[in-house]
Amino acid sequence: MKLTKLLASAALAVGLATTAFADGHEKTKVGFVYVGPIGDGGWTYQHDQGRLAVEAEFGDAVETVFQESVPEGPDAERVMTQMALSGADIIFTTSFGYMDATNNVAAKFPDIKFEHATGYKRLHDNVSTYDARFYEGRAVLGHIAGNMTETNKIGYIASFPIPEVIQGINSAYLHASKVNPDVEMVVIWAYTWFDPAKEADAAKAMIEQGVDVIMQHTDSTAPQAAAQEANANGGRVFTFGQASDMAAFGPKPRIASIIDDWSPYYIKRVGQLMDGTYEQTASWGGMPEGEVVIGEITDEVPASVKAEALAMVEAISNGTYHPFTGPITKQDGTVFLAEGEVATDVQLVTMDFYVEGITGDIPN
Amino acid sequence: MDLSSINWLLLLASLMVAATPILLAAIGELVVEKAGVLNLGVEGMMIMGAVCGFIIAVETGSAPLGFVAAAAGGALLSMLFGVLTQFLMSNQVATGLALTLFGLGLSALMGQGYIGIKAPGIGKLDLGPLSDLPVLGTILFRHDAMVYVSIAIVIAVWAFLKFTRGGLILRAVGESHDAAHALGYNVIRVRLMAIAFGGGCAGLGGAYLSLVRVPSWTEGMTAGAGWIALAIVVFASWKAGRIIVGAYLFGGITVLQLNLQAAGAKIPVEVLSMSPYLITIIVLVVISADRKRAAHNAPADLGKSFHASH
């Protein structure tokens, strides 16, 4: 008992000594914790592009470190602690599942800034959260999808039933059904962010059941490849690049993409930390901030549809259009937004229902 | 629920495709474990096969060459495990786990320049009139060659273990390495060959993912398939025939649950998602329920190191 106590306090002392020492160094050390490999071609790849943008912006004044493929759970806490002990000044944790781990570690290192992506818990002064308004991009993709489908079945490979994903499904459906009232949303919950084989199987199951436009909220290119194979065998299936452009699969099946661009945010926050204007925030940028970008719309999409899609991007970017503008009814028939009413951020981040017209239940 | 929207013939066909990587990896591991070696590095060898197969297939433009390279890559990596555990007598469990981590890391490094590239297709095997059979043709006879190769490997392993002298020696080494040694058999050599075969099969399974099922290279793409293969070997109580049952059941229910979701089945998604694991385990436990015999199925010297001096 005594020995373990001694060891624990020794470890703590070493830890404190290292952080104290770290405060004195000249370079700003920026840490990133990734949920997938940087080569996933999607989510994590885009965060890593943001990290590289920070290096390019500040040059020798910063030093970045990252750890990839960190499981959401106790391992994440260990990795963050390790990063904090090795002198990081700010740590970006880039997956929803790191929420509790980030807050736990932040409590132990009050002098280090923590930034948690896509979460909502800020239990300590040194924890900020940041997210991107992906639903803005989904609205544009939904508009294209509704125009492109011939079978009137749009597939959506969803990851986990969290508000961010549900916003995307609702936003896509609202805008698809606006141009094509007969459209049906086929949702498959993969319960993973990254499992190429499972994502491929999900895409194949959809295609076999007559889905001809597939959207995904999982990170690999496997659904694109599955659609490509179906097209090679005489099919007509379209997909959208997710998180990253996935341009290799254009011009068909990939007809457009929703790209996460974290560079502006990372550069802004690291810059603020360096010049002392850093404050705790809950940031939620979108198309106006350049954090959500629509990739090239290929010529498979009719020119008129492409023009409408670009007009929507323009309207969302300059703030004249909000994808969740009433009247919108919930699946159970109750009113979500009255005519002309715009959803508040609180309504969006707590979204746990489908809008009217989508069948099926959200798992809880 | 609209079950009519599910095309059951296509579903049964995609079941075989979904099960093939696990089937290949599991049958390889079965041979390894029958020889008394527990190699937990299946995941690492699979991903090595996936990346080696993909690189060679892209560079040469030939998918068959890719599969050959995948088997070689998996076998080569397994030899690392072989040397460490058989000659240097390291702990098999720890070495196997390390092999998985090493394989994941090394494959990520090797695959750096191959992300986002498409693999050359392997093409469906033309079985002539068989492919045109109604129902059976769609389900059984319109696959790529590797599906049939995997079944052929399972049958060959079953026949080898049951009917040949070599199979008897391999089982003897797994049951009692001291006895086999006393009879004059080279325990280490038999085990090394079994480990290499297991690595080759795992490599093929990995390449089936990167060349056929997905088909492109992404880091960490096996996403736990190797662990499923390991579990299937145990629940199949080390019998080749049951490996087919286990792998096809797992693959089948994986595909079925996705189809049920797409068809809007009124079953909670959580239940559907865990059903492949649950049902596979239950079925395999039930068919090997005879406890007296099941206990004899595990090779007696599984996981024990052998040294000729004692």
Side-chain angles (χ1 to χ4, degrees):
Chain A
M1 244 350 219
K2 243 184 177 171
L3 183 68
T4 43
K5 221 177 205 174
L6 192 74
L7 282 175
S9 45
L12 202 67
V14 171
L16 289 175
T18 344
T19 31
F21 183 68
D23 281 342
H25 64 194
E26 285 171 7
K27 279 188 180 183
T28 302
K29 193 165 178 182
V30 187
F32 291 84
V33 183
Y34 300 141
V35 69
I38 55 172
D40 68 352
W43 176 261
T44 296
Y45 174 79
Q46 288 301 125
H47 281 285
D48 200 55
Q49 292 297 307
R51 178 183 70 85
L52 294 173
V54 168
E55 279 192 343
E57 176 78 15
F58 299 107
D60 284 343
V62 295
E63 179 191 351
T64 67
V65 289
F66 69 90
Q67 176 90 45
E68 55 185 337
S69 298
V70 178
E72 299 174 337
D75 259 4
E77 224 169 300
R78 185 178 56 73
V79 167
M80 287 171 210
T81 307
Q82 193 64 40
M83 252 181 208
L85 287 176
S86 67
D89 298 295
I90 182 166
I91 298 174
F92 294 93
T93 62
T94 64
S95 184
F96 181 78
Y98 296 152
M99 184 154 62
D100 292 326
T102 305
N103 280 286
N104 291 345
V105 178
K108 291 182 223 157
F109 299 95
D111 294 335
I112 299 175
K113 308 297 179 202
F114 289 83
E115 297 253 352
H116 177 228
T118 71
Y120 53 82
K121 268 192 198 167
R122 293 173 296 278
L123 301 181
H124 310 284
D125 292 342
N126 55 336
V127 180
S128 291
T129 55
Y130 63 103
D131 201 350
R133 297 178 186 269
F134 302 116
Y135 65 86
E136 295 180 343
R138 301 279 175 206
V140 178
L141 301 191
H143 179 85
I144 298 173
N147 278 296
M148 295 301 285
T149 179
E150 280 178 359
T151 60
N152 293 334
K153 277 187 170 184
I154 298 176
Y156 203 110
I157 304 172
S159 46
F160 293 95
I162 57 174
E164 178 197 327
V165 177
I166 297 168
Q167 289 157 18
I169 298 172
N170 283 336
S171 178
Y173 176 77
L174 284 171
H175 293 84
S177 61
K178 212 170 264 179
V179 293
N180 182 352
D182 296 330
V183 90
E184 184 192 333
M185 206 75 175
V186 176
V187 182
I188 289 185
W189 295 96
Y191 275 96
T192 176
W193 290 112
F194 180 77
D195 181 346
K198 197 168 188 183
E199 293 169 48
D201 286 344
K204 281 176 194 161
M206 286 175 168
I207 294 168
E208 283 166 13
Q209 294 196 23
V211 168
D212 66 349
V213 182
I214 297 177
M215 306 176 82
Q216 61 180 94
H217 205 138
T218 50
D219 300 343
S220 89
T221 54
Q224 318 272 334
Q228 193 164 44
E229 194 194 317
N231 289 345
N233 294 326
R236 179 189 176 277
V237 183
F238 299 113
T239 57
F240 298 98
Q242 158 70 15
S244 168
D245 197 28
M246 301 189 179
F249 291 92
K252 193 185 173 189
R254 173 219 166 277
I255 48 175
S257 62
I258 172 170
I259 305 173
D260 317 343
D261 188 355
W262 303 100
S263 318
Y265 183 76
Y266 287 156
I267 291 171
K268 185 176 92 182
R269 295 300 272 172
V270 173
Q272 287 174 342
L273 187 68
M274 291 164 91
D275 63 24
T277 55
Y278 185 95
E279 278 178 356
Q280 180 184 32
T281 57
S283 161
W284 204 13
M287 285 184 170
E289 291 82 2
E291 289 180 21
V292 177
V293 179
I294 297 294
E296 193 213 343
I297 301 172
T298 67
D299 291 338
E300 292 289 322
V301 181
S304 60
V305 177
K306 182 175 174 177
E308 288 162 20
L310 292 177
M312 193 189 284
V313 171
E314 179 61 30
I316 295 174
S317 298
N318 64 27
T320 51
Y321 178 64
H322 190 290
F324 286 100
T325 304
I328 297 174
T329 315
K330 294 184 186 177
Q331 189 186 38
D332 61 13
T334 56
V335 174
F336 173 51
L337 296 171
E339 176 82 42
E341 194 184 348
V342 171
T344 63
D345 284 357
V346 175
Q347 279 174 314
L348 290 175
V349 296
T350 55
M351 189 174 275
D352 59 354
F353 56 86
Y354 283 147
V355 295
E356 188 177 36
I358 302 180
T359 53
D361 298 317
I362 300 174
N364 40 29
Chain B
M1 158 158 56
D2 181 19
L3 285 184
S4 61
S5 68
I6 299 179
N7 186 331
W8 294 95
L9 295 183
L10 285 179
L11 184 128
L12 285 170
S14 39
L15 169 167
M16 295 179 73
V17 173
T20 298
I22 311 169
L23 180 63
L24 280 165
I27 196 66
E29 179 66 11
L30 173 103
V31 171
V32 178
E33 293 193 11
K34 273 286 184 191
V37 180
L38 182 63
N39 184 355
L40 295 182
V42 181
E43 179 89 2
M45 300 185 297
M46 276 185 93
I47 194 108
M48 258 327 262
V51 76
C52 290
F54 191 80
I55 291 174
I56 296 301
V58 167
E59 295 300 336
T60 64
S62 155
L65 269 183
F67 277 106
V68 172
L76 204 66
L77 189 68
S78 74
M79 277 302 96
L80 188 64
F81 173 88
V83 169
L84 286 171
T85 58
Q86 300 308 308
F87 292 119
L88 305 176
M89 315 260 277
S90 67
N91 179 296
Q92 294 183 3
V93 172
T95 311
L97 292 173
L99 195 70
T100 290
L101 298 176
F102 179 66
L104 287 170
L106 185 62
S107 64
L109 183 69
M110 290 171 66
Q112 285 288 321
Y114 293 89
I115 294 161
I117 302 179
K118 289 164 240 164
I122 183 171
K124 305 275 184 255
L125 207 60
D126 189 10
L127 294 172
L130 278 180
S131 303
D132 299 331
L133 284 177
V135 185
L136 274 185
T138 313
I139 300 172
L140 292 177
F141 300 116
R142 285 188 198 166
H143 294 292
D144 52 272
M146 280 311 290
V147 170
Y148 307 111
V149 169
S150 69
I151 296 171
I153 290 178
V154 175
I155 295 172
V157 164
W158 169 76
F160 172 77
L161 289 175
K162 197 169 171 72
F163 297 120
T164 68
R165 187 178 176 80
L168 192 63
I169 296 170
L170 184 115
R171 283 188 286 145
V173 165
E175 292 298 337
S176 169
H177 47 220
D178 290 328
H181 176 66
L183 285 170
Y185 294 114
N186 189 332
V187 173
I188 304 285
R189 194 168 70 200
V190 170
R191 286 191 168 165
L192 280 178
M193 289 195 293
I195 293 169
F197 178 78
C201 284
L204 284 179
Y208 193 78
L209 277 174
S210 66
L211 291 178
V212 182
R213 194 157 156 228
V214 170
S216 58
W217 164 252
T218 29
E219 288 177 25
M221 66 183 301
T222 45
W227 301 108
I228 305 285
L230 273 167
I232 283 179
V233 174
V234 176
F235 287 111
S237 52
W238 294 270
K239 285 189 186 303
R242 289 182 190 167
I243 296 256
I244 286 212
V245 175
Y248 277 14
L249 203 64
F250 184 82
I253 297 171
T254 306
V255 175
L256 176 66
Q257 74 99 353
L258 293 169
N259 269 281
L260 283 175
Q261 278 201 46
K266 288 271 174 257
I267 307 169
V269 176
E270 298 88 335
V271 176
L272 286 174
S273 289
M274 67 180 181
S275 59
Y277 307 89
L278 215 59
I279 295 177
T280 307
I281 290 173
I282 291 174
V283 169
L284 289 175
V285 166
V286 167
I287 58 176
S288 52
D290 188 348
R291 296 193 100 201
K292 244 193 212 156
R293 292 191 51 194
H296 288 292
N297 279 331
D301 276 354
L302 182 61
K304 289 183 192 158
S305 292
F306 172 74
H307 193 269
S309 65
H310 51 243

